[in-house]
Each structure stands twice: as C-alpha cells, then as structure tokens.
Amino acid sequence: MQQPKWDKYEAVILLDAYIEMLNSDAPRPRIIKRVSADLRRMATNKGIETDVIFRNENGISFQMQSMESAYNGRTVMKPATRLFSEIVALYKTNRSEYENLLKEARVMIEGKLNCKDSFSSWLAEAVPTAPIITTLASCEKIEQFCLKLKVLKAPLFE
C-alpha cells in the first residue's frame, strides 16, 4: 500500500506537535507516538484504510525533520515539503486561520464533525475560492425562509 500524500490537516497537526516539542519538556518520542495515533485515527474517521506502515512512528519522525526545516526556513536534516512550508507560513502570517485549521483537524481526529462543519470542509476543498462565510450566511437565510414556509421540517444542516 503506497502512502497517500499528506493533507493540510495532517500537516497542521504535525506543526502543532513540533511547536509543542519546542515549547515543552515533553519527550519527543511520546509526542511522535501521539501524532502517529492521531493521524491514524483521523484517516480511519475519513474512511481511509490503514496498515501498519500508514503514518507510523518512524514515518512521523522522518516527516518531523521536514517540518523542522520548514519552520526554520532552511534544510536541517530533510528538506521541507511545499505543503509544510505553506502551513508554517500560515502559522507565522495568519494565526487565526491556522488556529481554525487546527481546530478542524482536531475535530476530524475525534470524529465529531457535524453536517455544517462537514459542508464547510467540503466546500473549502471543492471550491477553494468560495467565500465560505458568505455561503454559510446564505444557507442560514435559505434555512429561515424554508422553515417559515414549512418546506423544511428541521434545520437545513440536520
């Protein structure tokens, strides 16, 4: 089974773990073990079939070196990937967007994505240029109108 490419949600979890390693006394192996378990759980929640190699601790340790290069802006042990560099740039230039992405990733790990959040995530992936806030506001207006006319018997995202 070939390893799938990393996505932005996995990358943000990895960066968060790297920052935790920089700012705490937590042992690196324990953080890597947790990241491996989290990413495997995220994949399972997305319906991705995993094996013993998928996002295992050795792989996470290797990718952590790439994230370290992205964070430091220079190659340390393994060159930074484009995705990792983009996530680090987001962290450094738009902290609120980074925090929102991290929050979404943690919800994916827990497997508690509600319909509205699922729609928002899908929209961001399917139509990256879509104004998500405006689209969700429009959905709320549609919901109010349809509930008023009794076209819907429950809220739109239920």
Side-chain angles (χ1 to χ4, degrees):
M1 180 174 162
Q2 186 178 0
Q3 290 279 329
K5 290 186 175 185
W6 281 62
D7 66 25
K8 63 184 180 181
Y9 300 104
E10 292 173 310
V12 78
I13 292 295
L14 188 67
L15 176 57
D16 186 58
Y18 177 72
I19 293 167
E20 180 184 349
M21 281 193 283
L22 291 177
N23 297 327
S24 75
D25 294 333
R28 183 181 179 101
R30 184 171 57 196
I31 292 172
I32 287 172
K33 184 175 186 167
R34 186 193 72 230
V35 170
S36 174
D38 286 350
L39 296 185
R40 292 171 64 79
R41 192 174 323 112
M42 180 189 290
T44 300
N45 289 340
K46 288 179 177 179
I48 297 171
E49 194 173 316
T50 63
D51 60 11
V52 295
I53 297 171
F54 183 87
R55 305 299 188 253
N56 67 16
E57 293 173 39
N58 288 335
I60 298 301
S61 183
F62 186 68
Q63 293 301 328
M64 190 66 79
Q65 293 173 350
S66 179
M67 184 59 78
E68 182 178 9
S69 294
Y71 189 83
N72 289 307
R74 62 180 171 73
T75 300
V76 178
M77 299 265 305
K78 180 185 183 302
T81 66
R82 191 175 97 225
L83 173 64
F84 290 178
S85 295
E86 289 170 0
I87 294 298
V88 168
L90 183 66
Y91 172 78
K92 291 181 177 181
T93 61
N94 191 342
R95 191 66 61 92
S96 64
E97 189 176 334
Y98 167 83
E99 291 295 334
N100 287 337
L101 193 59
L102 181 59
K103 184 177 170 185
E104 285 181 54
R106 287 184 176 143
V107 168
M108 290 175 175
I109 290 167
E110 296 302 318
K112 296 178 185 172
L113 211 56
N114 63 34
C115 290
K116 187 175 181 179
D117 291 339
S118 293
F119 175 73
S120 297
S121 295
W122 170 83
L123 185 61
E125 292 289 327
V127 189
T129 58
I132 295 174
I133 293 172
T134 306
T135 303
L136 291 176
S138 297
C139 288
E140 287 180 28
K141 288 179 183 177
I142 291 168
E143 177 183 277
Q144 290 169 0
F145 179 76
C146 290
L147 287 171
K148 183 178 178 182
L149 293 178
K150 299 187 180 181
V151 173
L152 292 175
K153 296 180 186 200
L156 184 62
F157 287 109
E158 288 181 19

Short mmCIF file of all heavy atoms in Angstrom, two decimals, residues 23-55:
data_model
loop_
_atom_site.label_atom_id
_atom_site.label_comp_id
_atom_site.label_asym_id
_atom_site.label_seq_id
_atom_site.Cartn_x
_atom_site.Cartn_y
_atom_site.Cartn_z
N ASN A 23 8.43 24.05 22.82
CA ASN A 23 7.99 24.83 23.97
C ASN A 23 7.75 24.04 25.25
O ASN A 23 7.30 24.61 26.24
CB ASN A 23 6.71 25.60 23.62
CG ASN A 23 6.93 26.61 22.51
OD1 ASN A 23 8.01 27.18 22.39
ND2 ASN A 23 5.93 26.80 21.68
N SER A 24 8.01 22.75 25.23
CA SER A 24 7.74 21.96 26.44
C SER A 24 8.87 20.97 26.70
O SER A 24 9.77 20.80 25.88
CB SER A 24 6.41 21.20 26.30
OG SER A 24 6.57 20.09 25.45
N ASP A 25 8.76 20.34 27.84
CA ASP A 25 9.73 19.32 28.21
C ASP A 25 9.25 17.92 27.84
O ASP A 25 9.89 16.93 28.21
CB ASP A 25 10.00 19.37 29.72
CG ASP A 25 10.68 20.67 30.14
OD1 ASP A 25 11.38 21.26 29.30
OD2 ASP A 25 10.50 21.09 31.30
N ALA A 26 8.13 17.84 27.13
CA ALA A 26 7.58 16.53 26.76
C ALA A 26 8.58 15.79 25.87
O ALA A 26 9.15 16.39 24.95
CB ALA A 26 6.25 16.69 26.04
N PRO A 27 8.79 14.53 26.14
CA PRO A 27 9.75 13.76 25.33
C PRO A 27 9.29 13.63 23.88
O PRO A 27 8.12 13.35 23.61
CB PRO A 27 9.78 12.39 26.01
CG PRO A 27 9.12 12.55 27.32
CD PRO A 27 8.22 13.74 27.22
N ARG A 28 10.23 13.83 22.97
CA ARG A 28 9.95 13.75 21.54
C ARG A 28 9.28 12.42 21.15
O ARG A 28 8.28 12.44 20.42
CB ARG A 28 11.25 13.96 20.77
CG ARG A 28 11.11 13.97 19.27
CD ARG A 28 12.48 14.18 18.61
NE ARG A 28 12.38 14.17 17.18
CZ ARG A 28 12.38 15.25 16.41
NH1 ARG A 28 12.49 16.44 16.95
NH2 ARG A 28 12.29 15.14 15.10
N PRO A 29 9.77 11.27 21.64
CA PRO A 29 9.13 10.00 21.26
C PRO A 29 7.66 9.92 21.66
O PRO A 29 6.84 9.36 20.93
CB PRO A 29 9.95 8.93 21.98
CG PRO A 29 11.28 9.56 22.22
CD PRO A 29 10.99 11.02 22.44
N ARG A 30 7.31 10.49 22.81
CA ARG A 30 5.92 10.46 23.25
C ARG A 30 5.04 11.32 22.34
O ARG A 30 3.93 10.93 21.98
CB ARG A 30 5.79 10.92 24.70
CG ARG A 30 4.35 10.79 25.20
CD ARG A 30 4.19 11.03 26.67
NE ARG A 30 4.71 12.33 27.05
CZ ARG A 30 4.99 12.69 28.29
NH1 ARG A 30 4.80 11.85 29.28
NH2 ARG A 30 5.45 13.90 28.56
N ILE A 31 5.55 12.49 21.93
CA ILE A 31 4.79 13.36 21.03
C ILE A 31 4.63 12.69 19.67
O ILE A 31 3.54 12.70 19.08
CB ILE A 31 5.48 14.74 20.90
CG1 ILE A 31 5.38 15.48 22.24
CG2 ILE A 31 4.86 15.56 19.78
CD1 ILE A 31 6.16 16.77 22.32
N ILE A 32 5.68 12.08 19.17
CA ILE A 32 5.61 11.40 17.87
C ILE A 32 4.62 10.25 17.93
O ILE A 32 3.84 10.05 16.99
CB ILE A 32 7.02 10.95 17.44
CG1 ILE A 32 7.82 12.19 17.01
CG2 ILE A 32 6.96 9.91 16.33
CD1 ILE A 32 9.28 11.96 16.73
N LYS A 33 4.63 9.51 19.01
CA LYS A 33 3.67 8.40 19.17
C LYS A 33 2.24 8.92 19.15
O LYS A 33 1.36 8.34 18.51
CB LYS A 33 3.96 7.67 20.48
CG LYS A 33 3.09 6.46 20.71
CD LYS A 33 3.51 5.72 21.97
CE LYS A 33 2.72 4.44 22.08
NZ LYS A 33 3.27 3.53 23.08
N ARG A 34 1.99 10.04 19.83
CA ARG A 34 0.65 10.62 19.85
C ARG A 34 0.22 11.10 18.47
O ARG A 34 -0.90 10.88 18.04
CB ARG A 34 0.59 11.77 20.85
CG ARG A 34 -0.84 12.32 21.02
CD ARG A 34 -0.91 13.64 21.75
NE ARG A 34 -0.39 14.69 20.89
CZ ARG A 34 0.53 15.58 21.26
NH1 ARG A 34 1.02 15.58 22.48
NH2 ARG A 34 0.95 16.50 20.43
N VAL A 35 1.14 11.77 17.76
CA VAL A 35 0.82 12.26 16.41
C VAL A 35 0.49 11.09 15.50
O VAL A 35 -0.48 11.14 14.73
CB VAL A 35 1.98 13.11 15.83
CG1 VAL A 35 1.76 13.40 14.36
CG2 VAL A 35 2.12 14.41 16.62
N SER A 36 1.26 10.03 15.58
CA SER A 36 1.01 8.84 14.76
C SER A 36 -0.39 8.30 15.05
O SER A 36 -1.18 8.05 14.12
CB SER A 36 2.06 7.76 15.05
OG SER A 36 1.74 6.57 14.38
N ALA A 37 -0.73 8.16 16.31
CA ALA A 37 -2.06 7.65 16.69
C ALA A 37 -3.17 8.59 16.21
O ALA A 37 -4.19 8.14 15.69
CB ALA A 37 -2.13 7.45 18.21
N ASP A 38 -2.94 9.90 16.37
CA ASP A 38 -3.95 10.88 15.95
C ASP A 38 -4.18 10.84 14.44
O ASP A 38 -5.32 10.85 13.98
CB ASP A 38 -3.54 12.29 16.37
CG ASP A 38 -3.70 12.56 17.86
OD1 ASP A 38 -4.31 11.72 18.57
OD2 ASP A 38 -3.21 13.61 18.32
N LEU A 39 -3.10 10.79 13.66
CA LEU A 39 -3.25 10.78 12.21
C LEU A 39 -3.87 9.49 11.71
O LEU A 39 -4.63 9.49 10.74
CB LEU A 39 -1.90 11.05 11.52
CG LEU A 39 -1.29 12.42 11.79
CD1 LEU A 39 -0.03 12.62 10.97
CD2 LEU A 39 -2.27 13.55 11.53
N ARG A 40 -3.58 8.39 12.38
CA ARG A 40 -4.20 7.11 12.01
C ARG A 40 -5.70 7.15 12.33
O ARG A 40 -6.52 6.70 11.55
CB ARG A 40 -3.49 5.97 12.72
CG ARG A 40 -2.06 5.76 12.22
CD ARG A 40 -1.27 4.76 13.06
NE ARG A 40 -1.83 3.43 13.02
CZ ARG A 40 -1.65 2.56 12.01
NH1 ARG A 40 -0.91 2.91 10.98
NH2 ARG A 40 -2.19 1.38 12.05
N ARG A 41 -6.05 7.74 13.47
CA ARG A 41 -7.46 7.87 13.85
C ARG A 41 -8.19 8.79 12.87
O ARG A 41 -9.31 8.51 12.46
CB ARG A 41 -7.58 8.39 15.28
CG ARG A 41 -8.99 8.28 15.84
CD ARG A 41 -9.11 8.66 17.32
NE ARG A 41 -8.00 8.27 18.15
CZ ARG A 41 -7.14 9.13 18.73
NH1 ARG A 41 -7.28 10.43 18.58
NH2 ARG A 41 -6.16 8.70 19.47
N MET A 42 -7.54 9.89 12.49
CA MET A 42 -8.13 10.81 11.52
C MET A 42 -8.42 10.09 10.21
O MET A 42 -9.50 10.25 9.64
CB MET A 42 -7.19 12.00 11.26
CG MET A 42 -7.74 13.01 10.26
SD MET A 42 -6.53 14.27 9.76
CE MET A 42 -6.38 15.23 11.25
N ALA A 43 -7.47 9.31 9.75
CA ALA A 43 -7.65 8.57 8.50
C ALA A 43 -8.82 7.59 8.61
O ALA A 43 -9.66 7.50 7.71
CB ALA A 43 -6.37 7.83 8.13
N THR A 44 -8.88 6.87 9.71
CA THR A 44 -9.97 5.92 9.93
C THR A 44 -11.31 6.64 9.93
O THR A 44 -12.28 6.17 9.31
CB THR A 44 -9.77 5.17 11.26
OG1 THR A 44 -8.52 4.47 11.20
CG2 THR A 44 -10.88 4.18 11.52
N ASN A 45 -11.38 7.79 10.57
CA ASN A 45 -12.62 8.58 10.61
C ASN A 45 -13.01 9.09 9.23
O ASN A 45 -14.19 9.34 8.97
CB ASN A 45 -12.50 9.74 11.59
CG ASN A 45 -12.47 9.27 13.03
OD1 ASN A 45 -12.90 8.17 13.34
ND2 ASN A 45 -11.94 10.09 13.91
N LYS A 46 -12.03 9.26 8.34
CA LYS A 46 -12.30 9.69 6.97
C LYS A 46 -12.64 8.51 6.06
O LYS A 46 -12.89 8.69 4.88
CB LYS A 46 -11.08 10.41 6.38
CG LYS A 46 -10.81 11.77 6.93
CD LYS A 46 -9.56 12.30 6.23
CE LYS A 46 -9.19 13.69 6.63
NZ LYS A 46 -7.96 14.14 5.94
N GLY A 47 -12.55 7.29 6.60
CA GLY A 47 -12.84 6.11 5.81
C GLY A 47 -11.64 5.61 5.02
O GLY A 47 -11.78 4.80 4.10
N ILE A 48 -10.43 6.05 5.38
CA ILE A 48 -9.21 5.61 4.71
C ILE A 48 -8.71 4.34 5.38
O ILE A 48 -8.58 4.28 6.61
CB ILE A 48 -8.13 6.71 4.77
CG1 ILE A 48 -8.61 7.96 4.02
CG2 ILE A 48 -6.81 6.21 4.21
CD1 ILE A 48 -7.72 9.17 4.20
N GLU A 49 -8.43 3.34 4.57
CA GLU A 49 -7.92 2.08 5.10
C GLU A 49 -6.44 2.25 5.42
O GLU A 49 -5.68 2.78 4.62
CB GLU A 49 -8.11 0.98 4.04
CG GLU A 49 -7.94 -0.41 4.58
CD GLU A 49 -8.30 -1.45 3.54
OE1 GLU A 49 -9.33 -1.27 2.87
OE2 GLU A 49 -7.53 -2.41 3.42
N THR A 50 -6.04 1.82 6.59
CA THR A 50 -4.64 1.96 7.01
C THR A 50 -4.01 0.59 7.22
O THR A 50 -4.70 -0.41 7.36
CB THR A 50 -4.53 2.76 8.33
OG1 THR A 50 -5.20 2.05 9.37
CG2 THR A 50 -5.14 4.15 8.17
N ASP A 51 -2.69 0.58 7.22
CA ASP A 51 -1.94 -0.63 7.55
C ASP A 51 -0.90 -0.25 8.61
O ASP A 51 -0.90 0.88 9.10
CB ASP A 51 -1.31 -1.25 6.30
CG ASP A 51 -0.34 -0.32 5.59
OD1 ASP A 51 0.03 0.73 6.17
OD2 ASP A 51 0.08 -0.63 4.45
N VAL A 52 0.01 -1.16 8.93
CA VAL A 52 0.99 -0.88 9.98
C VAL A 52 1.99 0.20 9.60
O VAL A 52 2.61 0.81 10.47
CB VAL A 52 1.75 -2.17 10.41
CG1 VAL A 52 0.82 -3.16 11.07
CG2 VAL A 52 2.48 -2.79 9.25
N ILE A 53 2.13 0.47 8.32
CA ILE A 53 3.08 1.48 7.86
C ILE A 53 2.46 2.87 7.84
O ILE A 53 3.15 3.86 8.04
CB ILE A 53 3.62 1.10 6.45
CG1 ILE A 53 4.38 -0.21 6.54
CG2 ILE A 53 4.49 2.19 5.88
CD1 ILE A 53 4.76 -0.79 5.20
N PHE A 54 1.15 2.94 7.64
CA PHE A 54 0.48 4.22 7.48
C PHE A 54 0.73 5.14 8.67
O PHE A 54 0.36 4.82 9.79
CB PHE A 54 -1.04 4.03 7.29
CG PHE A 54 -1.78 5.31 7.04
CD1 PHE A 54 -1.91 5.82 5.77
CD2 PHE A 54 -2.32 6.02 8.10
CE1 PHE A 54 -2.57 7.01 5.54
CE2 PHE A 54 -2.99 7.21 7.89
CZ PHE A 54 -3.12 7.71 6.61
N ARG A 55 1.38 6.27 8.42
CA ARG A 55 1.66 7.31 9.43
C ARG A 55 2.20 6.71 10.73
O ARG A 55 1.84 7.12 11.83
CB ARG A 55 0.43 8.17 9.71
CG ARG A 55 -0.22 8.82 8.48
CD ARG A 55 0.69 9.77 7.74
NE ARG A 55 -0.01 10.51 6.71
CZ ARG A 55 0.12 10.30 5.40
NH1 ARG A 55 0.94 9.35 4.95
NH2 ARG A 55 -0.56 11.02 4.53
#
